[in-house]
Every structure is written in structure tokens, then in C-alpha cells.
Amino acid sequence: MKFPGSVLVSLVLFVAETAAALCLSGAYRAAGDRMWQWLTLLFALLPCALVQLSLVFIHRDVSRDRPLVLLLHLLQLGPLVRCVEVFYIYFHAGRVEEPYVSITKKRQMPKDGYSEEIEKEVGQAEGKLCTHRSAFSRASVIQAFLGSAPQLTLQLYICVLQQEITAARSVFMVLSLLSIVYGALRCNILAIKIKYDDYDISVKPAAYLCIFMWRSLEIATRVTVLVLFSSVLQIWTLPVVLVNFFSFFFYPWILFWQSKSPFPENIEKALSRVGTTIVLCLLTFLYAGINMFCWSAVQVKLNDPDLINKSQNWYRLTVYYMLRFIENAFLLLMWYIYKTDIYLYVCAPLLVLQLLIGYCMAVLFMLVFYQFCHPCKKLFSSSISEAFLSCFKFLCFICKAPRPTVLTNKAEVKPPENTDDTWSSSKTIDSQKGNPYQSVSSNA
């Protein structure tokens, strides 16, 4: 039985970030910055409430009649209680023989074109630990992109405006960045396990390292670009954020309406149609929040029974990163044009170059992961490098202007075949006009 390390990491990040947010909001209150205080509390408490709801929903505590657990979730102590329960199950597993076990069948990664199917006995304790791991993974994603990402953007924006980085704020920003990167990493692992559920998957340390570098560079550059742009063009910040957010929020719904599929009813039996709609809206809300800052490895598909698109779409990935790179470059250009005096001692061209190179490095680590370190790369019908090359060829074909046709040989001009009357009339006109060269010579 695997050690539940992911549960422990999720809890530590959750508790540390929440405690740091409360301490920093107290410092803002002491300094008289009420607006920064309330925004810090909002971005700290809102994801806490959503994490409690997600844990209750995944474990189905409402239908299981567990009032004490529900009360602890209302007191925002749900993750702590769940973690204690996880380690209690882990350390007491194997002491008593379990009367019931379930048998799962998994296929191994194909070797030489052959995939072997293996059977594995899963006890009740291991099944409960698997449920807890899945719940904490989803809670980490919610905490990362609905709390830590806005929080990191806010604190970095305050640092730019005040031109000061305090020790408490720097520690809080580091914790927020680690929380976002860990949430993105869990999102990648969840996507792999959902898409390749029939296979026995083991993720190697090199894959974790590539994902960590990819997500760290991508998120750090994205947050920095948004902060720089919002510090000089505050009036345009809200339109840029809303266009980004609602584009990704409505995209799954538009695909669902175009498919003309029936409304999904199999999410939870205890939910009514209104409750199912609220759950789907929260899911697309989280999907939009993830795509605001980085590529969501999980693609929402509302007409699928699992609500997840299990096909590997390289072209959508390529288009996303190309458009995001263009957007970041445009926002940096606007910042460079309208930068104020607070950036007087900042080398603006060097900063722009560093951010663009950082984003390109993130894309490079992503390519390395999908090309060499992905645990299921043998199951890909085509590689990501081929998709990038074909997409670039398509864009070059569109952008290439048509060449003008150049005549190499001059066309021979033949006099028209005129009748005798036409020739006679033309001679008459020439005789009336005279020769212009003769007049010029006589005047000379």
C-alpha cells in the first residue's frame, strides 16, 4: 500500500497558505490598508469554502448521515479531519484480515506491440485511501486556481504599487506559487489517470521534474505579465480578464449545445436538475480559472458521461499556447509603451525578453514531457512534435502572400487589322496634327 504523501502535501500547503493569508491580512489592517485586507481575506476564505464543499460532495457525506463531519467542514476543519482519517486507515491496514476484496483488471504498457492484462486484489482500506487521494487531488486544484492564483497576482500587484517586498509578503507569494504549481501537477496526473484508466500507470521522477519546471515557468510568467499590464493600464485590466475568463467558461457549454445531447443526469442521483446545473457551472468555472493562468490538461466535455474529453487533441494544445504567447507579447508591448515612473530603474527591454524567453522555456519543458517523459507515450497515435510542425506549416501556408506573376517574355504587339477606311482616317488625323519634333527643332 502506497504512503499517502500527496494527502499530506495538500494539507500542509492548505494550512500554511491559509495561516499566512490571515497573518498578512492582519498586517494590512494594522497599516490601515483596508482594501488589501478584504481582498486578501476574500481570496483566502472563498477557496476554503469551495474545498469543503468538494470534499463533502466527493465523499457523499450528506447522504451518509454524518452530522459531526459536516459540522467540522462548516468550521473549515474538513481537510484536517480527512487527513487524520487517511493516516488512521493507513497505519491500521493489514492488522485485521479483510473479509471482502475487489479484483481490478489493469493492462500494462505495451512492450513490442503486446499488452498484458494483470489482476490485482484491492481491499476496503486501499479503496478508501484511493478515494481520499482523489478527493485531495481535486481539492488541491480548486485551492490552487480559485485561491492561490488570484492571491499571488494580488500580492505581486501590491508589491509593484508600493515598490516594497516585505518578508511576510514574500513568504506568502512563495507559498501561493508552490500551491499553484502543485495544483497544476495534480491536474496533469488526474488527466493521465482519467484518460488511461484501463492501464497500470507509474509516473517516473523525470516526468514530475518536467511538469514542475513547465508549470513553474508558465504560471510565473503569466502572473508577471498580468501584473505589469494592470499596473499601467488599470482601466483595461477588467476587460482583458473578463474576456479570457468567459471565453473558457462558455466554450464547453457552446460545444454541448452544438452537439444537441440530452442534459447529463448521471452526475449524482441525490441531485435535482437545478443541483446538477450548479455542479456543472462550478466545474466550468474551475475550468475557466485554470485556463486563465495555464493550460488545463483536463478538457471538459459536458456531453460525455465522465464529463471529460479523453481524446488527445494536440492541435487545441498548440493553438492555445500560440494564442497565449501572442497575448502575453501584446500585453508586454502595451506595458512597454505606457510604463510609468515606477519602472524608471527597470531595464524594460531586458525584462520583456526574459519573460518571453521564460514562456518559451515552459513550452520547451512541456514538449520534453510529452515527447519523452509521458508515462503513456507509447499509446499516442501521433507525437506532439508532429502536431506542432503541421500546425506551423498550416499557419505559414495561411500567412504566405501569393506571389505576383511576372512576365518574362514581352508580348509582341501586332497592329490591328483595320479596314482601308480606318487607315485613311488615321493618316488624315496625323497630317492635321503635324510632327511635334519638327516644331521643336524649328524653334531651336
Side-chain angles (χ1 to χ4, degrees):
M1 189 179 297
K2 290 175 60 177
F3 179 76
S6 60
V7 175
L8 186 61
V9 173
S10 299
L11 179 67
V12 168
L13 288 174
F14 176 79
V15 173
E17 191 176 5
T18 305
L22 294 177
C23 293
L24 193 60
S25 63
Y28 286 141
R29 181 181 181 181
D33 298 327
R34 292 304 179 97
M35 185 175 67
W36 303 139
Q37 175 197 356
W38 288 113
L39 286 176
T40 303
L41 284 176
L42 174 65
F43 291 143
L45 297 180
L46 178 62
C48 285
L50 293 177
V51 164
Q52 312 299 324
L53 287 175
S54 65
L55 291 176
V56 170
F57 178 77
I58 293 172
H59 289 281
R60 294 179 172 88
D61 290 324
V62 177
S63 60
R64 292 168 61 186
D65 192 15
R66 303 178 67 184
L68 179 60
V69 174
L70 292 176
L71 176 62
L72 291 173
H73 277 287
L74 287 176
L75 297 175
Q76 305 299 313
L77 297 175
L80 184 61
V81 175
R82 299 290 184 187
C83 186
V84 172
E85 184 179 356
V86 166
F87 281 96
Y88 177 82
I89 295 172
Y90 176 75
F91 287 113
H92 285 78
R95 296 185 179 181
V96 181
E97 186 178 356
E98 297 182 0
Y100 301 104
V101 294
S102 59
I103 298 176
T104 60
K105 294 182 179 181
K106 295 286 186 179
R107 299 172 63 184
Q108 291 183 338
M109 286 294 114
K111 295 180 180 179
D112 299 328
Y114 178 72
S115 178
E116 184 180 357
E117 192 175 50
I118 57 175
E119 293 183 354
K120 182 181 179 182
E121 292 184 355
V122 179
Q124 292 181 353
E126 191 171 355
K128 290 179 180 178
L129 284 180
C130 184
T131 304
H132 279 290
R133 287 194 191 97
S134 177
F136 270 92
S137 297
R138 287 160 173 79
S140 297
V141 175
I142 294 173
Q143 171 72 21
F145 293 100
L146 298 184
S148 302
Q151 193 75 264
L152 177 62
T153 308
L154 173 66
Q155 301 306 322
L156 187 58
Y157 179 76
I158 296 172
C159 291
V160 170
L161 289 186
Q162 296 182 354
Q163 299 184 16
E164 181 186 8
I165 302 178
T166 60
R169 198 180 295 147
S170 60
V171 171
F172 187 33
M173 288 192 295
V174 170
L175 288 174
S176 298
L177 181 60
L178 288 176
S179 177
I180 303 169
V181 174
Y182 180 74
L185 187 145
R186 299 312 308 173
C187 194
N188 277 96
I189 303 302
L190 278 173
I192 294 172
K193 291 183 177 180
I194 291 173
K195 291 179 181 178
Y196 306 99
D197 187 43
D198 298 334
Y199 289 87
D200 186 21
I201 300 170
S202 60
V203 184
K204 296 181 180 179
Y208 282 112
L209 181 61
C210 281
I211 296 174
F212 182 82
M213 296 301 298
W214 160 28
R215 295 305 195 177
S216 300
L217 291 170
E218 180 182 9
I219 293 166
T221 53
R222 177 62 177 170
V223 170
T224 307
V225 168
L226 290 176
V227 169
L228 291 176
F229 176 78
S230 59
S231 64
V232 296
L233 293 172
Q234 291 89 351
I235 194 173
W236 289 103
T237 304
L238 187 62
V240 170
V241 172
L242 292 180
V243 168
N244 270 276
F245 184 82
F246 284 112
S247 298
F248 290 107
F249 180 82
F250 287 112
Y251 180 70
W253 290 101
I254 292 172
L255 294 180
F256 174 69
W257 290 326
Q258 287 180 347
S259 65
K260 298 180 180 179
S261 301
F263 190 79
E265 302 284 352
N266 56 347
I267 297 177
E268 179 64 37
K269 295 181 180 178
L271 291 177
S272 62
R273 195 178 184 90
V274 177
T276 303
T277 306
I278 294 174
V279 170
L280 293 177
C281 288
L282 290 176
L283 179 63
T284 51
F285 186 86
L286 176 62
Y287 174 75
I290 296 172
N291 282 281
M292 272 284 298
F293 295 94
C294 66
W295 166 255
S296 65
V298 179
Q299 300 298 309
V300 176
K301 189 177 182 181
L302 298 179
N303 57 351
D304 190 89
D306 295 329
L307 303 178
I308 298 297
N309 187 2
K310 296 183 178 181
S311 62
Q312 192 71 47
N313 195 330
W314 299 123
Y315 296 101
R316 185 182 297 177
L317 176 68
T318 306
V319 170
Y320 173 86
Y321 275 101
M322 293 181 66
L323 292 179
R324 186 63 80 198
F325 181 81
I326 294 172
E327 182 195 3
N328 288 342
F330 177 75
L331 295 180
L332 286 174
L333 178 63
M334 293 296 102
W335 168 78
Y336 183 78
I337 294 174
Y338 296 101
K339 64 180 183 296
T340 55
D341 294 337
I342 62 175
Y343 300 104
L344 185 62
Y345 299 103
V346 175
C347 184
L350 181 60
L351 180 58
V352 171
L353 184 62
Q354 288 175 344
L355 291 173
L356 294 180
I357 291 176
Y359 199 80
C360 293
M361 290 294 293
V363 176
L364 178 62
F365 278 107
M366 180 199 67
L367 292 174
V368 171
F369 168 71
Y370 279 111
Q371 190 74 24
F372 303 105
C373 302
H374 197 284
C376 303
K377 61 179 182 294
K378 295 181 180 179
L379 303 176
F380 292 164
S381 58
S382 61
S383 63
I384 189 172
S385 58
E386 296 175 357
F388 264 81
L389 288 175
S390 59
C391 190
F392 277 121
K393 289 179 182 178
F394 178 72
L395 290 176
C396 291
F397 176 76
I398 293 177
C399 298
K400 185 168 64 174
R403 295 180 180 178
T405 57
V406 181
L407 295 176
T408 56
N409 298 325
K410 293 182 179 180
E412 296 180 357
V413 181
K414 296 182 179 180
E417 297 180 356
N418 297 325
T419 58
D420 296 338
D421 297 336
T422 308
W423 281 105
S424 60
S425 59
S426 62
K427 289 178 181 178
T428 308
I429 293 171
D430 291 338
S431 62
Q432 291 176 357
K433 288 183 179 180
N435 194 345
Y437 294 102
Q438 292 178 356
S439 60
V440 172
S441 60
S442 61
N443 291 331

